[in-house]
Amino acid sequence: SATDQIVLKGAVTPDPTTQWTYPYDRTVFPKGLLAPELMWNNGGSGNLYYIHFVGQYVDLEVFTTAEPPSRFTLDDTSWKELTESGNGGQVAVTVTRLVPGEATATIVVNNTWTIANGSLRGTVYYWSNNLGRVLRIKPGATAPEDFLAAAGQTGNCSTCHSVSANGSTLIIGGDISPSTWDLLTNSAVLDLGTVGKPVRNWAMPAISPDGKIVVENNAPLPGPPGGSDAMFDAVTGQKITGTGLDGVKLDMPAFGPDGSKLAFVDHSSLGLAVYDYDPLSFMVSNRVDLVPAGGDTNLNCIAFPSVSPDAKWVVYHRGQYSNSLDTRFGPGNLYLASVAQPGVEIRLAETNGDAYPFAAGARDLDWNYEPTFAPLNSGGFAWVVFTSRRTYGNRLTGGKDAVKQLWVTAIDQDPVAGTDPSHPAFLVPGQDLSTLNMRGFWALDPCKPVGEVCSTGSECCNQNCVGGICSDPDPTECVQDGNHCEADADCCDAGSKCINNICSAPPPT
């Protein structure tokens, strides 16, 4: 009623009994996703609610009921209007509650989100633990895609995977016959058995951004993984010698998406290190040790490094040696190391939730693993997909063994040593909540030729989109955000930076 609306809008006192569960305060959301599901606990049956969103150009009021466990999702049209009006920025979110018949309402939550000035690009390939299969999901999709099943691969265990940053090649190290899978044609390319190697040797290897080169993973993971030195041709399975890795075995190797770095964990010292990599000669050089093992007394094992799009940072998780890097058992948290300043290590406290008032309390701490950078920055941020065993609102509230989902966190485009550049994470919408999902790999989608419809240059083979069409660039003009560049000075907009050869917008103000 009009009277109840007035009471709901006039709430000034915090709600003493209702507990907010999701999304987190200060979360950064990109454009183009499904609307997040708002969730809270302990609201009584028949209660009335006022949900108020305020952005720079949008003021949206919703009056509704929500039966316990209480949930609300904004319709797609309203969410798009809220997030796509303007160039991103802050959105204030207020929820108030009124028990019918009472004279005053209470405030359930006053949160602030940030909308990034751009959408996420590419596709996340991940392992659905229960199914024993690699699935994929695009940002904004309502459900994952079982692309291997669509190609007739339904048997055995297609796990322990890696994906090239350009989205062309999948390497499978599980108990399935193809080891190299062509994602452009959705077909098998190589079975390691035909060249005399066990399939498991290519469990979670490094794969170059163009999908041509594989470096085996020597870490003592369940499986077991490989253990061979040097590099391998992803199509033929043949060893490539004379690359600087002859006689060298790497734990957890990972190529950077721009092809200039190869991060890894040293098998002897267990510290994090990085090589320069030349994609033309397949040569590594100039090894630099970044951070040693043992930086965290309880989480002293460095695992699953991933290089940022600008090749300046490496994200990874610290776990426990006693669990052989197996994320099914031990705790873990995410960290960031500087490539340019060896010794600089930043705990991603906002992402980990170190000081966040989780609805589940300590239950939600120390269960964060397997981070992977998106190949491109977007909207003024770098983006990291990771695995977490934390609860999800009031939908997934079981113990750690019952919860395992993919989450995404925004990382400031220009991290500063000594300052946490991360933000509270959000659950990847559209994934199956009934399965245990892990090890997300972020890759670009197959590029589009000149003349195809596009929304940004990174979708085009020539990395140039004009007026919604993949077009040849005009060498006399500056470069719009999302199109190909060689240096910051090429970009048209003030504050934009050339990151992985794409003009990337600054964060919203």
Side-chain angles (χ1 to χ4, degrees):
S1 68
T3 299
D4 288 338
Q5 291 182 27
I6 293 172
V7 174
L8 281 163
K9 292 174 69 172
V12 295
T13 304
D15 194 300
T17 60
T18 305
Q19 183 183 50
W20 187 258
T21 61
Y22 185 84
Y24 305 141
D25 190 20
R26 308 185 307 279
T27 297
V28 177
F29 289 103
K31 298 179 179 181
L33 288 185
L34 301 176
E37 191 170 24
L38 279 58
M39 292 183 269
W40 58 94
N41 291 333
N42 301 327
S45 179
N47 286 184
L48 309 177
Y49 293 93
Y50 169 57
I51 303 174
H52 191 198
F53 302 90
V54 181
Q56 184 178 3
Y57 300 107
V58 175
D59 189 309
L60 174 63
E61 296 179 320
V62 178
F63 297 92
T64 186
T65 59
E67 292 301 300
S70 302
R71 301 164 185 153
F72 172 81
T73 303
L74 198 61
D75 65 275
D76 291 340
T77 299
S78 297
W79 176 248
K80 185 173 182 178
E81 291 173 345
L82 177 66
T83 56
E84 304 223 359
S85 296
N87 295 323
Q90 290 194 338
V91 172
V93 184
T94 302
V95 179
T96 67
R97 180 174 73 101
L98 175 63
V99 177
E102 294 193 357
T104 59
T106 53
I107 299 173
V108 175
V109 74
N110 267 324
N111 279 357
T112 301
W113 304 336
T114 295
I115 307 301
N117 185 22
S119 302
L120 301 180
R121 303 299 178 193
T123 296
V124 174
Y125 292 77
Y126 68 95
W127 179 20
S128 180
N129 221 156
N130 316 50
L131 304 178
R133 301 187 59 72
V134 174
L135 306 179
R136 66 185 179 194
I137 188 166
K138 289 181 64 64
T142 59
E145 178 189 2
D146 193 340
F147 63 100
L148 290 174
Q153 291 288 341
T154 57
N156 297 322
C157 185
S158 60
T159 60
C160 300
H161 65 293
S162 299
V163 183
S164 63
N166 71 352
S168 67
T169 307
L170 167 73
I171 300 295
I172 304 173
D175 301 320
I176 188 171
S177 57
S179 300
T180 301
W181 191 267
D182 186 338
L183 293 170
L184 305 182
T185 60
N186 203 25
S187 60
V189 173
L190 170 68
D191 179 351
L192 274 187
T194 62
V195 294
K197 286 179 69 68
V199 173
R200 284 281 182 177
N201 278 28
W202 281 14
M204 290 184 263
I207 178 170
S208 61
D210 58 9
K212 295 179 179 179
I213 301 298
V214 172
V215 178
E216 290 188 10
N217 172 24
N218 189 50
L221 289 164
S228 298
D229 63 330
M231 297 181 183
F232 292 84
D233 186 301
V235 174
T236 66
Q238 298 300 312
K239 179 178 282 191
I240 303 172
T241 59
T243 63
L245 290 182
D246 293 340
V248 179
K249 299 178 181 179
L250 305 180
D251 289 7
M252 299 280 179
F255 285 99
D258 74 344
S260 68
K261 302 292 180 183
L262 176 63
F264 63 97
V265 176
D266 184 271
H267 189 69
S268 298
S269 71
L270 302 176
L272 179 67
V274 66
Y275 282 114
D276 289 339
Y277 174 67
D278 181 355
L280 297 179
S281 65
F282 309 138
M283 289 285 296
V284 300
S285 61
N286 188 33
R287 169 178 167 153
V288 178
D289 293 303
L290 301 183
V291 293
D296 183 308
T297 303
N298 297 314
L299 305 175
N300 50 11
C301 177
I302 297 173
F304 295 96
S306 175
V307 182
S308 63
D310 61 8
K312 294 180 179 179
W313 300 88
V314 179
V315 68
Y316 50 97
H317 87 245
R318 283 188 176 273
Q320 290 181 335
Y321 289 123
S322 58
N323 291 295
S324 299
L325 313 184
D326 193 332
T327 61
R328 289 176 295 180
F329 306 115
N333 278 306
L334 305 189
Y335 288 78
L336 196 68
S338 171
V339 173
Q341 297 176 274
V344 171
E345 180 179 55
I346 305 171
R347 183 180 174 97
L348 300 182
E350 285 288 290
T351 297
N352 296 327
D354 290 354
Y356 192 84
F358 288 119
R363 151 68 183 89
D364 279 354
L365 294 174
D366 305 325
W367 303 113
N368 308 297
Y369 320 96
E370 303 164 345
T372 303
F373 272 109
L376 296 175
N377 284 15
S378 178
F381 298 91
W383 302 89
V384 171
V385 62
F386 65 101
T387 305
S388 185
R389 289 187 175 276
R390 67 181 69 182
T391 58
Y392 169 51
N394 52 36
R395 282 204 179 275
L396 297 178
T397 58
K400 70 174 182 65
D401 294 330
V403 180
K404 200 173 193 181
Q405 294 282 297
L406 298 178
W407 293 69
V408 168
T409 183
I411 306 292
D412 291 341
Q413 196 151 272
D414 295 302
V416 177
T419 302
D420 178 11
S422 73
H423 301 267
F426 60 88
L427 181 124
V428 175
Q431 65 185 304
D432 189 345
L433 299 182
S434 68
T435 60
L436 301 179
N437 305 323
M438 61 179 289
R439 196 54 180 129
F441 261 94
W442 214 321
L444 297 177
D445 295 324
C447 66
K448 300 177 180 180
V450 169
E452 291 286 322
V453 175
C454 55
S455 59
T456 182
S458 60
E459 297 176 357
C460 305
C461 295
N462 66 355
Q463 296 186 323
N464 195 72
C465 181
V466 179
I469 300 295
C470 291
S471 310
D472 290 328
D474 185 339
T476 66
E477 295 185 353
C478 62
V479 178
Q480 299 294 331
D481 287 339
N483 288 349
H484 180 85
C485 57
E486 296 294 337
D488 293 350
D490 296 340
C491 304
C492 296
D493 296 337
S496 292
K497 294 193 170 185
C498 187
I499 299 175
N500 197 5
N501 292 121
I502 295 291
C503 281
S504 301
T509 57

